[in-house]
Amino acid sequence: MTDYKQIRVTPIASALGAEVSGVDLSAPLDAQTFEEIKRAWLDHLVLFFRDQNLEPDAQKRFGEYFGELKNEFMLFGAAPKDIDPYVLTPETGKTPFAPRTELLHIDHSYAEIPSKATLLQANICPESGGDTIWVSCYAAYEALSASMQAFLEGLTGYFPPMDRDRVHEMVTKGPDNARPMFIRDPAAEHPLVHVHPETGRKALFVDFLRMWSIRELEPEESGALIGFLANHCARPEFQCRFHWEQGSLAIWDNRCTLHQLVDDELPGRRVMQTVRVEGTERPTLN
């Protein structure tokens, strides 16, 4: 068990996930406290903090300990004057894109350099339901046979970018009145297996929301392999599940996890406050 002096870390599942207590994220962190949080994050992949209720500036400050923040409006032009481009709060009607994400996915997998981390806080929760599931891409890779691991290490996923014009139509006109999505080049291509730049561990890099095909395979082969990987990653021993409460905040390593919404909410509002950290390197096996 890792020794922590400034925080308390309680794992919630064997594959990944831990609750952290004993820290107030609304205040600046001293060097030792952040070092322990960062160490716990790399060990557990996703960390959960209860009863934080962070204002946007405090959530941004916490995110900046992990790296440069991502401008969420980069693909969509300048943000409106009254909107902070580094904080998304869906349900305001002013954010560029707030998709339902019931499929396991990686944030910004369609980018040449995907996001490094996501910080998600529950500002308003439904009466019940609406949990989030995370998957350890380390555990999913390591559970495969050596032959399957070697096979996947020679393959490349194809991740088409979003069509910004269609996204704008979805926001302003609703999804039923938007044009069908079309693929624009260049699309991102990422190896199905990559090495985490900080831990050195191998992990799957797959996304069942945005990865359309596998470059080296014929369409039927590609579809069959993606289907196999989707079923494989859905195994409960690779997962943790978190129940949101108002003020709960999660931060996950986008380089070695998948996540999805559990679409079982009872009637009620769900307002999540999101800050993301820019990635700094392309996924690679080298």
Side-chain angles (χ1 to χ4, degrees):
M1 180 67 68
T2 302
D3 181 33
Y4 299 101
K5 300 185 182 303
Q6 303 298 316
I7 59 175
R8 292 185 295 277
V9 178
T10 305
I12 67 169
S14 60
L16 76 168
E19 287 205 24
V20 177
S21 57
V23 61
D24 178 6
L25 299 180
S26 67
L29 303 175
D30 61 68
Q32 183 176 350
T33 300
F34 175 67
E35 186 277 331
E36 292 187 6
I37 290 173
K38 177 72 176 295
R39 182 153 39 94
W41 182 63
L42 291 175
D43 286 346
H44 296 283
L45 318 189
V46 54
L47 299 180
F48 307 105
F49 303 80
R50 297 283 189 186
D51 302 318
Q52 295 296 322
N53 294 297
L54 298 184
E55 295 295 327
D57 285 347
Q59 188 173 349
K60 288 194 298 181
R61 181 177 59 235
F62 182 45
E64 286 172 340
Y65 287 107
F66 294 85
E68 181 181 350
L69 300 186
K70 184 175 184 62
N71 184 333
E72 297 287 352
F73 284 79
M74 287 281 290
L75 291 175
F76 309 95
K81 291 183 179 180
D82 60 337
I83 293 293
D84 186 333
Y86 298 98
V87 181
L88 292 180
T89 50
E91 211 186 75
T92 65
K94 299 177 182 178
T95 56
F97 194 39
R100 299 290 291 184
T101 49
E102 295 90 353
L103 297 176
L104 287 170
H105 67 283
I106 298 169
D107 288 345
H108 299 122
S109 62
Y110 52 82
E112 184 177 4
I113 300 178
S115 300
K116 176 181 180 180
T118 300
L119 297 85
L120 186 64
Q121 176 177 271
N123 287 355
I124 300 176
C125 296
E127 180 181 341
S128 185
D131 294 356
T132 300
I133 287 172
W134 283 265
V135 169
S136 168
C137 294
Y138 295 144
Y141 169 79
E142 292 163 359
L144 296 167
S145 68
S147 296
M148 179 59 79
Q149 290 175 353
F151 176 58
L152 293 178
E153 288 177 17
L155 301 179
T156 308
Y158 175 72
F159 299 79
M162 291 191 301
D163 171 16
R164 59 174 288 179
D165 295 326
R166 180 178 182 271
V167 171
H168 178 73
E169 289 182 354
M170 290 180 68
V171 172
T172 58
K173 301 179 182 179
D176 293 337
N177 297 310
R179 293 174 293 107
M181 179 175 284
F182 61 90
I183 299 173
R184 296 185 297 110
D185 286 326
E189 297 185 2
H190 301 306
L192 294 194
V193 180
H194 74 119
V195 174
H196 192 287
E198 295 188 77
T199 67
R201 295 177 67 183
K202 289 182 178 179
L204 292 177
F205 193 98
V206 291
D207 182 329
F208 308 110
L209 180 66
R210 302 185 180 98
M211 187 176 77
W212 284 36
S213 63
I214 298 172
R215 274 298 194 195
E216 294 81 2
L217 302 182
E218 294 295 328
E220 289 187 1
E221 297 170 333
S222 174
L225 182 56
I226 291 172
F228 163 76
L229 290 172
N231 289 331
H232 177 71
C233 289
R235 287 166 53 178
E237 60 264 39
F238 306 147
Q239 299 181 355
C240 72
R241 178 167 174 158
F242 184 68
H243 178 66
W244 295 97
E245 298 172 350
Q246 183 174 337
S248 298
L249 181 139
I251 176 169
W252 63 90
D253 192 332
N254 198 52
R255 301 165 295 183
C256 54
T257 61
L258 294 159
H259 61 283
Q260 69 179 120
L261 169 71
V262 179
D263 189 19
D264 62 350
E265 300 172 19
L266 291 178
R269 299 175 64 201
R270 187 179 196 266
V271 180
M272 310 297 282
Q273 184 169 287
T274 307
V275 170
R276 293 189 178 92
V277 179
E278 286 275 19
T280 56
E281 60 281 307
R282 299 180 183 87
T284 177
L285 256 176
N286 300 322

